[in-house]
Amino acid sequence: MKKKIFIPVIAVVIGISTVSFKSDFFEIAKQIEIFTELFKELNMNYVDETNPAELMDSAIEGMLADLDPYTKYWTEQEVEDAKINRSGDYSGIGATVRNQDGKMTITEPRKGYPADKAGLKAGDEIIKIGDITVADVDGDAGDLLKGAPNSEVVITYKRQGKMDKATIKRSAVEIDAVPFSKLINGDTGYIVLTKFNKKASSQVKEALVSLKTDGATKIILDLRGNGGGLLSEAINICNLFLPKGSLITTTKSVVKKYNKTYTTSQEPVDTEIPLVVLVNGRSASASEIVSGGLQDYDRAVVVGARTFGKGLVQRPKPLTYGTSVKITISRYYTPSGRCIQALDYWNRDENGNAVRTDAADYNEFKTKNGRKVLDGGGVLPDIQVSSAKLSPVTTALLKDNAIFEYATDYYYNHQYSDMSEFSWSQADFADFKSFLNRTGFKYETGTEKAFAKALEQADKDDLKTEVSAAYSQLTNAITLAKEKSIDDRQDEIENLLIDEIVKRYFYRDGLYEYQIINNVEVKEALAVLADKNRYNKILNN
């Protein structure tokens, strides 16, 4: 018997479309009416029984797929998750997990929280939560780990091929925006900001004031790996270092009400203290507003690698039944007028991927002191550090979780009780390459994709026989070049490997303590702050 269903979910489509009503009400109303009729007829008459919710999810995903990846439909649970991310507080086991291909893996147990106290480690695969098998869950099984404080949950997990269980008592979990700050060398304050939640500006201010009280006369603000968050917190953090009334960002949209300027509204903490901001390719959104704004005012020297280049602002819009849609409403521009968006989502290649803005198309802007800065591809640091970059092979290693998996393997084959015992050698890197061979790591370059497509066309043109030998030679050359690329990018790969390994033994605090002494970007930040002439020359050149 086929299902005859009412369609309250059409309200979702109407809600998603509301912003566009401004341009052509009739056309939108017409398309919604067509969709409503199609959806009804499909569910009532299709040869097999359909699932209306799944069909609607697919329709929504398909509609949003042609836009940017930040415009997303949120289920009721995803709305709650977003609230947690913004607030920084929730109740659960205190561990971050990765859900991929039907598997849930602990990526980081937070020190002192329930998962850590129960002995769970990064790399543990959670098989069951209570009586529920993770692989059978349709949706985010990680939500099952959350619950009221002091409630218990039994977790069945697999570690190094062996099954085990742990009974965990949930507790309140606080996610600090600033997990670490410290005075280095007696005069340099180091502040790590990992996210822009509601605590971000207050915690940065608290750390800044405390470090100055302890004797800091220079500051390093570390935004590496910070994917962003609340725009208001980015403005407030800039306000700590810039005068009241300073323009930080302008947002521009086809919807006039979203055209806004954001300025600092409070008295600053310190507008003179020498400042370095650390960034890399995973610094995005609010991180780019802060680094780009401080760079445009010549208030800080930016060190590291080019940032991600997001350049887009989202706002959640509530829909019916507790759902929501997060819509990209505008682009933001730095004080000098730069839009640092790196990917053009309206112009895509033959594979449907957004096209990256070509460096030849970047536009030149001027900082407050007249320095040249460019738009189009993220915030380019004043001092670039090669090991901070993410090359295609490194990105592939991260995407494949090869660095994470090797760190797990390394942890169970090496034991350290103190950070001073840890060392990394060329032999360790050679072992990592052997690990990649053993586990079958492979990645496809853009060149390979292009050549494969050319061979397909040659086949259609009856030229495959003639070009096959040349194609084979080319693919062999590419294979050798790919193997060499791992050696060529050893520094950047080793940075990520060491960070992941150190965190396994000594948690995040240990990682930051290690970086203060050993990390190349931190060393460069300390060096430029120690050289007043060089610092001033960069900001006035």
Side-chain angles (χ1 to χ4, degrees):
M1 178 178 179
K2 300 188 188 303
K3 293 181 180 178
K4 294 185 178 182
I5 60 169
F6 296 101
I7 316 177
V9 284
I10 291 302
V12 172
V13 179
I14 296 174
I16 291 174
S17 304
T18 301
V19 173
S20 299
F21 267 59
K22 65 188 185 301
S23 58
D24 193 338
F25 179 86
F26 173 75
E27 183 62 25
I28 293 169
K30 171 185 170 183
Q31 296 303 324
I32 290 174
E33 184 177 354
I34 292 171
F35 181 85
T36 301
E37 289 297 311
L38 181 152
F39 192 68
K40 181 179 70 174
E41 294 297 335
L42 190 64
N43 279 284
M44 294 179 67
N45 298 300
Y46 189 69
V47 63
D48 294 318
E49 189 164 330
T50 59
N51 184 315
E54 290 182 358
L55 283 176
M56 180 57 74
D57 284 345
S58 297
I60 293 172
E61 288 176 7
M63 176 170 57
L64 300 183
D66 286 338
L67 305 177
D68 63 85
Y70 312 110
T71 297
K72 293 182 178 180
Y73 168 66
W74 282 342
T75 64
E76 187 174 3
Q77 184 56 54
E78 288 169 330
V79 170
E80 293 303 310
D81 291 342
K83 289 179 181 177
I84 289 171
N85 287 333
R86 290 195 296 270
S87 69
D89 297 320
Y90 71 98
S91 179
I93 68 169
T96 53
V97 297
R98 178 180 67 237
N99 286 292
Q100 188 175 15
D101 301 327
K103 293 183 178 182
M104 178 187 289
T105 305
I106 292 180
T107 56
E108 183 182 355
R110 296 180 179 273
K111 186 178 182 179
Y113 281 108
D116 180 43
K117 291 178 179 178
L120 293 182
K121 302 289 185 184
D124 290 346
E125 181 188 345
I126 298 178
I127 306 300
K128 294 177 70 175
I129 303 172
D131 296 326
I132 301 174
T133 301
V134 170
D136 295 338
V137 176
D138 184 16
D140 187 0
D143 294 330
L144 299 173
L145 298 173
K146 298 170 186 172
N150 296 318
S151 61
E152 290 189 344
V153 60
V154 178
I155 291 178
T156 304
Y157 63 95
K158 182 166 64 175
R159 176 186 296 170
Q160 300 289 285
K162 297 180 180 179
M163 302 291 288
D164 205 344
K165 288 186 177 182
T167 300
I168 302 177
K169 183 180 287 187
R170 299 181 179 96
S171 73
V173 178
E174 295 183 10
I175 305 174
D176 287 326
V178 176
F180 186 86
S181 62
K182 186 174 182 177
L183 189 67
I184 308 174
N185 300 336
D187 65 354
T188 305
Y190 176 63
I191 302 171
V192 178
L193 178 63
T194 58
K195 55 184 78 251
F196 286 82
N197 60 23
K198 289 183 178 180
K199 303 177 181 180
S201 60
S202 62
Q203 290 189 345
V204 172
K205 181 178 181 179
E206 182 182 357
L208 176 60
V209 171
S210 177
L211 288 165
K212 280 169 59 69
T213 301
D214 291 341
T217 57
K218 311 161 192 172
I219 294 293
I220 299 171
L221 179 61
D222 193 343
L223 299 180
R224 292 175 299 170
N226 186 327
L230 299 174
L231 172 61
S232 58
E233 291 300 292
I235 307 302
N236 291 339
I237 288 168
C238 287
N239 200 164
L240 299 175
F241 303 101
L242 292 169
K244 181 179 179 180
S246 299
L247 171 67
I248 301 303
T249 189
T250 303
T251 58
K252 297 180 182 180
S253 171
V254 294
V255 183
K256 288 185 178 179
K257 68 179 181 179
Y258 297 139
N259 295 335
K260 295 185 177 182
T261 57
Y262 295 85
T263 60
T264 56
S265 59
Q266 306 294 323
E267 292 300 325
V269 172
D270 195 325
T271 61
E272 300 294 333
I273 191 168
L275 175 64
V276 165
V277 177
L278 295 178
V279 296
N280 63 12
R282 291 175 292 167
S283 303
S285 189
S287 289
E288 295 173 301
I289 290 174
V290 171
S291 56
L294 294 174
Q295 185 181 53
D296 279 0
Y297 280 106
D298 302 298
R299 180 62 189 85
V301 172
V302 181
V303 174
R306 187 185 289 277
T307 62
F308 180 80
K310 185 183 177 188
L312 301 171
V313 179
Q314 288 74 44
R315 179 172 294 179
K317 296 289 185 179
L319 305 175
T320 55
Y321 299 99
T323 62
S324 178
V325 60
K326 186 181 70 165
I327 301 176
T328 295
I329 59 169
S330 58
R331 289 181 174 85
Y332 70 79
Y333 296 78
T334 70
S336 67
R338 290 184 287 168
C339 177
I340 50 80
Q341 184 178 340
L343 295 174
D344 182 355
Y345 297 102
W346 291 107
N347 292 296
R348 297 174 181 263
D349 61 22
E350 63 276 7
N351 298 314
N353 298 316
V355 176
R356 179 168 290 276
T357 305
D358 192 274
D361 297 325
Y362 292 169
N363 298 300
E364 183 178 317
F365 294 82
K366 298 292 185 180
T367 69
K368 182 180 178 180
N369 291 340
R371 294 189 298 142
K372 182 177 75 173
V373 288
L374 302 174
D375 67 358
V379 175
L380 183 67
D382 302 304
I383 300 175
Q384 297 185 66
V385 181
S386 60
S387 60
K389 297 178 182 178
L390 289 182
S391 62
V393 66
T394 308
T395 301
L397 289 167
L398 290 169
K399 186 176 181 180
D400 192 63
N401 299 314
I403 288 173
F404 179 87
E405 297 297 342
Y406 179 77
T408 301
D409 188 70
Y410 184 99
Y411 176 79
Y412 290 108
N413 286 288
H414 301 78
Q415 293 302 315
Y416 304 111
S417 57
D418 187 85
M419 196 184 304
S420 62
E421 298 174 3
F422 171 75
S423 64
W424 181 265
S425 67
Q426 187 64 38
D428 290 315
F429 190 71
D431 184 61
F432 171 67
K433 292 193 292 183
S434 296
F435 174 84
L436 296 181
N437 290 330
R438 294 196 304 272
T439 55
F441 169 72
K442 293 180 180 179
Y443 77 103
E444 188 176 27
T445 64
T447 303
E448 286 174 295
K449 292 176 183 178
F451 283 152
K453 189 172 182 179
L455 186 65
E456 289 179 10
Q457 185 60 47
D459 190 21
K460 294 175 183 177
D461 295 338
D462 291 329
L463 298 173
K464 186 174 182 179
T465 301
E466 287 77 3
V467 302
S468 288
Y471 176 77
S472 179
Q473 288 180 331
L474 286 169
T475 54
N476 287 336
I478 292 171
T479 298
L480 292 174
K482 283 164 59 176
E483 292 174 357
K484 184 176 180 293
S485 69
I486 293 179
D487 288 325
D488 291 342
R489 302 295 181 175
Q490 180 173 342
D491 287 347
E492 68 185 66
I493 295 170
E494 282 187 330
N495 275 355
L496 295 170
L497 281 166
I498 291 170
D499 285 355
E500 187 63 45
I501 290 169
V502 169
K503 194 167 58 176
R504 297 299 177 94
Y505 295 96
F506 309 112
Y507 301 91
R508 281 196 172 267
D509 281 358
L511 169 60
Y512 299 131
E513 292 281 4
Y514 183 88
Q515 288 193 342
I516 285 171
I517 300 170
N518 299 282
N519 182 262
V520 177
E521 297 102 277
V522 175
K523 287 181 178 180
E524 187 60 44
L526 290 169
V528 71
L529 285 171
D531 188 340
K532 188 175 181 179
N533 289 334
R534 182 186 177 203
Y535 178 87
N536 289 331
K537 184 177 180 181
I538 290 171
L539 295 182
N540 291 282
N541 190 7

